[in-house]
Amino acid sequence: MQWENKVTFEVGSMERLCMLQKDDGQVLPALPVFSSLVESFLQKLSACLMTDLLAKGYPDVITFAFFCRRSHIRQLAQKFAGTGERLGRGLVFHIAPSNVAMNFAYSWVAALLAGDASVVRLPSKSFPQVEIICKAVRQVLADMPELVPYIYFLRYGHDEDVNTALSALCSTRVIWGGDKTIREIRNFPLGIRANEIVFADRFGLAVIDGDDYLRSDNPERIAQDFFNDTYLSDQNACNSPRFVIWLGRNKVQARVKFWQQLQDLLDNHYELGPVQAVDKLVKTCLLGAECECKLQDTANNLLTRVEVKSLTRKLIEYTGNSGFFIEYEADELTDIKPVLTERCQTISYYGVVKEDILSVVKDSGCRGGDRIVPMGRTLDFSLIWDGYNLISAMSREIDVV
C-alpha cells in the first residue's frame, strides 16, 4: 500500500502535494519573508475567524485571529527587518503535538511568514479548534488560489511510509511532540540540505514577589493570569509553570491569599479526571521519596502544592501537570539557578524586574530560560521560540557582495 493512500487531507490535495516531488524549482517558487501576499491572506483569515460565531466560543482561536491581523504582521515584519535578503527554504513538514489544539496553526503561520509552503500533520486528538481553523483556511484559499499549492493540512496514523516520504520531501522538518516523538521521527532521513527544528519536553517556572502581590488592588486578575498560564493547557504546554518561586518579606501571607484566589477559580472552571488525580498522587509520593518536602493542605485535588526545602536539578524529574506545583520560598532571585537547566523554557514573573531575571540567566551562563514573560503571557506565541529564530531557521539568506 503506497503512502499516498494512508493520509486524509483537511486542506490541500495529494495531487498537488505530489507535484512538489518534481525536481523543478518553478513548481513552487519560494516566497520572500513577510510577503504582501501572505500578509493579505492572513488578514482575510483573521477577519474570517473573527466573524465566525463558532470560533467566538474558543478564546485560543480568537487569540490566533488577533495574531494574524495585518497590523500585527507588519509589527513583526518591522521587528525582523534588516536581517538580510531572505527567501523561504521550500517545504516545511510540521509534526504538531497531539495534546495541544492550536500549536499547529502558529507553526504553520511562522513558516508561511518565512516564505515556505507547509505540510502539517494535525493533532491526533479531536479538537473543535482544529476544524474551525481548517474551515476558515479553505474559505480564504477559495478567494486566493495562488496560495493553494503552499498549504497542506492532513491526518495519518503512526505510519513509517508517510513519515519517510514527507521527511524526504521537505526542506525543513519541525517536531513539536516532545522527546519521545523526536527520537521516533529522527529515524526517518531528511534530504541532504534539509534542516530540523525540534521542541523537546520542557517546563516553565513562575517567580512572584509576595510583597508586590499583597499590594495589588486586583488579585483576582493575577489568579486568572496564572490560571490561563497553567490550567488552560493542563500544564502540558512546554511554557506552563511547574515551579512557583516566592520572593519578598511577606511570602507566607502572599501564598495564602494567592492560592485561595486560584482555588476559587478552580472550583468553578476546572475538572480533574481520575487518571490525572492518580498521576498527581504518584508524583507526590515520588517527590517525597526523593527529597525533604511537605504536601500543603488544599481544599481539594484540583490543586496540589508540594513545598521543597531547597531547589535542586533533580527536582525537574518529578514535575507534574493538571495542577501539580513544586513550591519554594527563595531568599534571593539567584536561588533559581539550579533549575535553569536546558529543560527550562519560560520564566514568568509578577512583581519582579525582568532585567534582574535576565541578569541571572546571563551571568550564570545557564542553558535554560529562553523566554522571560509577564505572568499571564506564557502561552503567547512568538516567532522566537525555544531559543530559535523561526524566521531565520525556516528561510535562507542570500549573500550579496
Side-chain angles (χ1 to χ4, degrees):
M1 184 178 183
Q2 294 183 334
W3 75 271
E4 292 93 334
N5 299 321
K6 299 179 179 180
V7 300
T8 302
F9 285 81
E10 297 293 338
V11 175
S13 69
M14 180 58 70
E15 180 182 4
R16 286 190 176 275
L17 182 58
C18 287
M19 289 180 64
L20 303 185
Q21 292 178 296
K22 297 180 180 180
D23 188 16
D24 180 358
Q26 298 307 309
V27 171
L28 192 65
L31 299 173
V33 299
F34 294 100
S35 72
S36 57
L37 179 63
V38 169
E39 178 189 297
S40 296
F41 173 84
L42 293 177
Q43 172 61 26
K44 290 184 178 181
L45 178 62
S46 176
C48 183
L49 290 170
M50 293 293 287
T51 56
D52 186 324
L53 294 178
L54 188 58
K56 292 180 179 180
Y58 296 92
D60 49 358
V61 175
I62 298 303
T63 299
F64 173 72
F66 271 92
F67 183 91
C68 294
R69 295 183 340 271
R70 176 176 279 114
S71 59
H72 183 243
I73 298 304
R74 289 184 175 177
Q75 288 176 12
L76 293 174
Q78 283 291 105
K79 179 179 179 179
F80 289 88
T83 56
E85 299 293 335
R86 308 193 74 92
L87 288 172
R89 291 177 54 85
L91 178 71
V92 179
F93 173 29
H94 309 257
I95 300 172
S98 61
N99 58 355
V100 182
M102 293 298 298
N103 180 277
F104 83 97
Y106 287 105
S107 187
W108 158 64
V109 166
L112 198 58
L113 292 172
D116 295 302
S118 286
V119 54
V120 182
R121 181 186 180 186
L122 297 172
S124 57
K125 185 177 177 180
S126 179
F127 290 106
Q129 297 96 314
V130 175
E131 306 307 322
I132 292 169
I133 298 296
C134 289
K135 178 184 176 182
V137 170
R138 291 193 296 265
Q139 290 177 353
V140 177
L141 285 177
D143 294 329
M144 298 187 67
E146 56 268 53
L147 278 178
V148 167
Y150 290 84
I151 304 171
Y152 305 87
F153 295 167
L154 50 82
R155 301 181 189 276
Y156 64 92
H158 296 282
D159 191 280
E160 293 187 1
D161 292 337
V162 181
N163 286 327
T164 297
L166 295 180
S167 295
L169 184 61
C170 71
S171 303
T172 298
R173 184 167 64 190
V174 182
I175 310 173
W176 290 88
D179 295 0
K180 181 180 178 181
T181 300
I182 291 168
R183 294 189 185 97
E184 291 175 352
I185 298 299
R186 279 183 167 169
N187 290 320
F188 308 106
L190 291 166
I192 297 300
R193 278 183 50 79
N195 68 340
E196 185 176 60
I197 305 170
V198 298
F199 300 99
D201 291 328
R202 306 190 76 187
F203 68 90
L205 64 88
V207 184
I208 305 172
D209 185 285
D211 300 333
D212 205 77
Y213 171 74
L214 290 173
R215 288 191 292 266
S216 169
D217 58 1
N218 195 351
E220 295 85 1
R221 180 190 60 80
I222 300 170
Q224 183 67 63
D225 286 343
F226 186 80
F227 176 88
N228 293 346
D229 284 347
T230 51
Y231 284 87
L232 287 185
S233 62
D234 278 332
Q235 285 178 285
N236 287 318
C238 57
N239 36 21
S240 291
R242 296 193 175 192
F243 289 88
V244 179
I245 314 299
W246 291 93
L247 294 168
R249 295 181 178 179
N250 298 293
K251 293 185 281 285
V252 175
Q253 301 96 306
R255 288 171 59 188
V256 171
K257 183 176 180 179
F258 175 83
W259 293 118
Q260 184 55 59
Q261 290 287 341
L262 181 65
Q263 185 70 59
D264 293 343
L265 268 177
L266 297 177
D267 291 340
N268 294 300
H269 301 288
Y270 186 69
E271 294 183 5
L272 187 73
V275 173
Q276 294 169 293
V278 171
D279 185 64
K280 289 169 69 172
L281 175 60
V282 171
K283 288 287 186 181
T284 303
C285 294
L286 291 174
L287 185 58
E290 169 62 28
C291 67
E292 184 179 358
C293 60
K294 179 181 179 182
L295 178 64
Q296 299 294 312
D297 291 333
T298 56
N300 50 48
N301 203 22
L302 301 180
L303 173 62
T304 301
R305 300 164 46 208
V306 182
E307 182 180 4
V308 295
K309 295 298 182 182
S310 61
L311 287 181
T312 66
R313 184 186 183 96
K314 189 71 172 177
L315 293 176
I316 296 168
E317 304 300 324
Y318 300 94
T319 60
N321 53 20
S322 305
F324 184 89
F325 300 99
I326 298 177
E327 199 172 3
Y328 178 69
E329 291 190 358
D331 295 321
E332 304 287 344
L333 184 57
T334 54
D335 291 349
I336 67 175
K337 287 181 182 180
V339 292
L340 295 184
T341 71
E342 62 181 1
R343 288 186 58 186
C344 175
Q345 191 221 56
T346 298
I347 303 171
S348 61
Y349 59 89
Y350 180 84
V352 182
V353 179
K354 60 185 177 182
E355 288 79 11
D356 291 344
I357 301 174
L358 178 60
S359 293
V360 172
V361 173
K362 292 176 66 176
D363 294 347
S364 66
C366 65
R367 299 177 65 185
D370 294 327
R371 301 174 68 234
I372 301 171
V373 302
M375 185 179 293
R377 296 186 56 187
T378 66
L379 299 182
D380 290 1
F381 182 73
S382 169
L383 294 175
I384 298 176
W385 198 263
D386 257 24
Y388 292 107
N389 181 322
L390 296 180
I391 297 299
S392 295
M394 296 185 188
S395 63
R396 62 185 180 91
E397 183 173 357
I398 303 171
D399 185 21
V400 181
V401 180

